Amino acid sequence: MQAELAGLVLIQDRLPGRVSTVLGVDAAYDDDGSRAFAAGALMEVATRTVLQIVSAEVPADFPYIPGLLSFREVPALEVALEKLTQAPDLVICDGQGIAHPRRFGLACHLGVLYDLPTIGCAKTRLTGEAATPAAARGSRAPLVDTGRTIGAVLRTQDGVKPVYVSPGHRVSLETACHWTLALCGQYRIPEPIRVADQIVGRMKRQAR
DNA sequence: GCGACAG
DNA sequence: ATCTTGTCGC
């Protein structure tokens, strides 16, 4: 299924010239692993203001299997995202885009599903090889898999562990890196993802 | 058979 | 993802 859907992914910039809102998404699970908490944080780029928070709690019936993460997370994210009252210009996800064994990570899945520009920004590697980027914020190294560049290992803060950036849908690698960097304030992780992460973290604690 | 493996 | 413990840098 992923190999087939990967054919629908567009790795070229097809996003507004003026990106004014970015949606950060994330999910978490209860101790049991059977309930999923998903959230989306819509941020206005110019002011760094959170315009809307959407969330959902649904049963998690698909297990976590490396390479199949989107089948665990997308059902919960769908319920949360359908509550948005305005479409985002860009979506940034906690997971890979095309830096995936079949070039169809979570960000691609969400991007194709909603036909929105998406970026994959993962904290660790799933596949591919890369050199260690220089220590300065903004430094990057190509992430290569079977002879093809599928993403970049990008340093978002001086001397801090880099993140794994890859196009999800309708964005180039260059644009994915640009926005990832632009959305990182004082931390390693882009602000919209951090906000979504905080939300699902609270939901998880409250359910316990 | 063994190691790797987003969240 | 989540949890726990040890280490590092400011």
Side-chain angles (χ1 to χ4, degrees), chain A residues 2 29 64-74 94-95 106:
Chain A
Q2 292 179 322
Y29 301 86
Y64 170 67
I65 298 169
L68 302 181
L69 174 67
S70 67
F71 294 103
R72 180 159 171 78
E73 307 220 327
V74 165
D94 189 351
L106 173 63

Side-chain angles (χ1 to χ4, degrees), chain A residues 10 15 29 50 56-57 74 84 99 123-124 126 130 132 147 149 157 166 178 188 190 195-196 202:
Chain A
L10 185 64
L15 68 172
Y29 301 86
V50 177
E57 176 184 343
V74 165
L84 282 170
K123 298 183 289 297
T124 61
L126 173 60
T132 299
T149 294
Q157 296 296 335
S166 58
H178 167 84
R188 176 168 84 117
V195 175
R202 285 174 202 154

Side-chain angles (χ1 to χ4, degrees), chain A residues 7 27 45 53 55 91 109 113 116 129 149 160 167 171 175 198 203:
Chain A
V45 175
I53 295 283
S55 63
V91 181
H109 199 141
L113 184 61
L116 282 173
E129 295 297 328
T149 294
V160 170
V171 294
T175 296
Q198 280 189 289
M203 292 173 76

Side-chain angles (χ1 to χ4, degrees), chain A residues 79-147:
Chain A
V79 178
L81 301 194
E82 70 189 11
K83 296 176 183 176
L84 282 170
T85 55
Q86 64 178 288
D89 289 334
L90 175 68
V91 181
I92 188 158
C93 311
D94 189 351
Q96 316 288 351
I98 63 169
H100 176 279
R102 291 165 293 281
R103 311 292 180 252
F104 199 71
L106 173 63
C108 300
H109 199 141
L110 274 183
V112 167
L113 184 61
Y114 292 105
D115 192 26
L116 282 173
T118 59
I119 294 171
C121 178
K123 298 183 289 297
T124 61
R125 186 196 79 103
L126 173 60
T127 192
E129 295 297 328
T132 299
R137 169 184 160 97
S139 300
R140 68 175 96 155
L143 179 62
V144 178
D145 192 33
T146 57

Side-chain angles (χ1 to χ4, degrees), chain A residues 180-202:
Chain A
T180 297
L181 212 49
L183 294 167
C184 286
Q186 207 62 30
Y187 299 90
R188 176 168 84 117
I189 304 300
E191 211 56 39
I193 293 180
R194 293 190 72 244
V195 175
D197 183 72
Q198 280 189 289
I199 302 301
V200 295
R202 285 174 202 154

